[in-house]
Amino acid sequence: MSINVKRPNGTEDILPKDVHRWHTVEKIARDTAESFGFSEIRIPTFENTELFQRSVGETTDVVQKEMYTVMAKETKFTLRPEGTAGTIRAMLQNGLLNEALPQRVFYILSCFRHERPQAGRLREFHQFGLEMAGSASPSADAEVISLAKSILDRLGLKNIELYINSIGCPVCRAKYHEALRSYFENRKDKLCDTCLERLGKNPMRILDCKSPVCQEVAKDAPVILDYLCEECSEHFDKLKKYLGNFGIDYKVNPKIVRGLDYYTKTVFEFVTTEIGAQGTVCGGGRYDGLIEQLGGQKVPALGFAMGIERLLLVMDKQNCEYLTPRKCDIYFATMGDNALEKAMDISHKLREYGYRAEFDLMGRGIKAQMKYANKIGAMFTVVIGDNELETGKVKIKDMETGSEVETDLDDTFRMNFESLYFNKMMNNLDDEEKFDLK
Ligand code: ATP
Ligand code: MG
């Protein structure tokens, strides 16, 4: 079959058979963030373009090349390319920063960037991210990094390296920019056009350029860590000490500057080499100046974002376990209208108690109905025909073992089914899980 209109390049359909993979990441990320005191925030899919220009920054790839912007009734809107700008805007607009600090929020959202689609790089992708506002202490940096690490560990991921760096504050960065500028001025002829522009406005961005030629030029560039002021240097040392206390392995990598303009002091990335070139599964850092830049008070803040598609790529590659999708608990195969009505009635009641009940909606014969029950992985089945309606008795069949238990088709049905269901659940738990239940 061919359809006329297909999905846009760089977008994906997430099908029912795959959605449990997403649920796994979302649930683990959500539970972990909540255990660290974070609550969920939901923000608009689009914002005034100016928000991203002012926060993400004019010299970044995201703002220069990747934003989806539309002009609607004389206002310029942009589909969010990331979650931090909108989240901070929402915190400011709703007065969250006037409440008890630190404010801690997380989000699960789609982002839009006009990039060249490839494995791990989409035009609509999804992030789990979070922001903490109010703390200037390096303990907050350690807290946020250890939260990210806990999520990765709980997803079962291995061989993911943590790189950290400090890109200093405006004070130390001014001196560093000078050094960088004179380094690149001497090698100007080799830089790409975008980097030439960055040279004037924000030379540190050159270190983040994806072009192999620019990367080669940048190889021996001055290193920010040599230019840190005393405060930034002390902050970085403390962070390293706290990470050590947590037993979290890391590597200091002065090449990590992060793509967005708003970072200060700590920046970090979790990177794997197992899924090709797009190996950064999580990126984050501190952005002490952003809130003030967006018109708020001077409130230090930090956060990170994880690319969910990239996490799933690594999870698939490493055969990590996903939450098992729940299937049909009980399927009623029916013969005739009266039987169907009975099945509809019982299914309805069972659903009120949280069970997944199904019956035939296709007018299939009994054999085809049983085949269908098998296909959807029904745990139990019940056949209802004239005979069963007359005697008021049915057999509940365990589809895995084939064993059958006779029971009345009246109001006691639910309780009888329930006891079979719980017995089966208990038998399926391993001993350790049973112990947890006690
Ligand atoms: P990259 O260097 O790979 O382009 P980035 O620095 O642009 O990443 P961030 O803005 O920090 O990425 O976004 C956080 C995370 O979101 C990334 O670490 C990555 O996991 C994910 N991500 C970013 N862009 C995409 C994309 N186009 N498709 C899928 N995931 C993405
Ligand atoms: Mg990018």
Side-chain angles (χ1 to χ4, degrees), residues 111-258:
C111 302
F112 307 85
R113 295 187 192 177
H114 193 273
E115 303 197 68
R116 195 168 67 78
Q118 52 199 291
R121 194 173 289 289
L122 293 149
R123 291 182 172 169
E124 180 182 11
F125 63 99
H126 297 78
Q127 285 188 343
F128 170 86
L130 52 80
E131 319 295 341
M132 184 201 286
S135 173
S137 158
S139 60
D141 305 42
E143 180 87 339
V144 162
I145 292 175
S146 74
L147 201 175
K149 170 86 173 116
S150 295
I151 293 174
L152 301 175
D153 286 347
R154 288 175 67 180
L155 289 173
L157 295 167
K158 311 220 158 47
N159 306 329
I160 297 200
E161 300 232 46
L162 165 62
Y163 295 123
I164 61 170
N165 188 24
S166 173
I167 56 170
C169 61
V171 177
C172 30
R173 216 174 310 160
K175 272 190 260 155
Y176 179 57
H177 275 179
E178 242 172 73
L180 263 188
R181 207 166 273 140
S182 67
Y183 174 88
F184 285 118
E185 278 290 344
N186 295 329
R187 296 159 180 82
K188 227 164 132 173
D189 46 325
K190 296 200 187 102
L191 294 177
C192 72
D193 286 349
T194 321
C195 282
L196 272 180
E197 213 178 295
R198 289 167 173 154
L199 185 55
K201 289 187 194 155
N202 192 349
M204 223 164 77
R205 281 284 80 77
I206 301 174
L207 303 178
D208 209 36
C209 182
K210 298 267 173 349
S211 140
V213 182
C214 295
Q215 279 178 13
E216 182 60 32
V217 180
K219 229 175 60 194
D220 299 317
V223 167
I224 176 80
L225 292 175
D226 297 333
Y227 292 81
L228 291 186
C229 67
E230 209 177 309
E231 189 201 321
C232 289
S233 184
E234 210 173 280
H235 188 101
F236 196 48
D237 286 342
K238 279 219 168 122
L239 167 64
K240 289 188 279 189
K241 176 168 183 282
Y242 295 147
L243 290 178
N245 293 349
F246 278 141
I248 295 177
D249 289 333
Y250 61 84
K251 286 194 179 129
V252 175
N253 180 349
K255 286 270 142 51
I256 304 269
V257 293
R258 310 282 310 127

Side-chain angles (χ1 to χ4, degrees), residues 311-344:
L311 289 175
L312 290 172
L313 281 177
V314 196
M315 287 178 74
D316 286 345
K317 185 89 192 275
Q318 299 186 350
N319 287 320
C320 293
E321 261 183 62
Y322 291 108
L323 298 173
T324 16
R326 193 167 156 201
K327 295 185 180 147
C328 173
D329 296 325
I330 185 163
Y331 180 86
F332 294 95
T334 59
M335 274 180 288
D337 261 4
N338 292 341
L340 176 63
E341 280 184 34
K342 190 73 190 169
M344 290 169 91

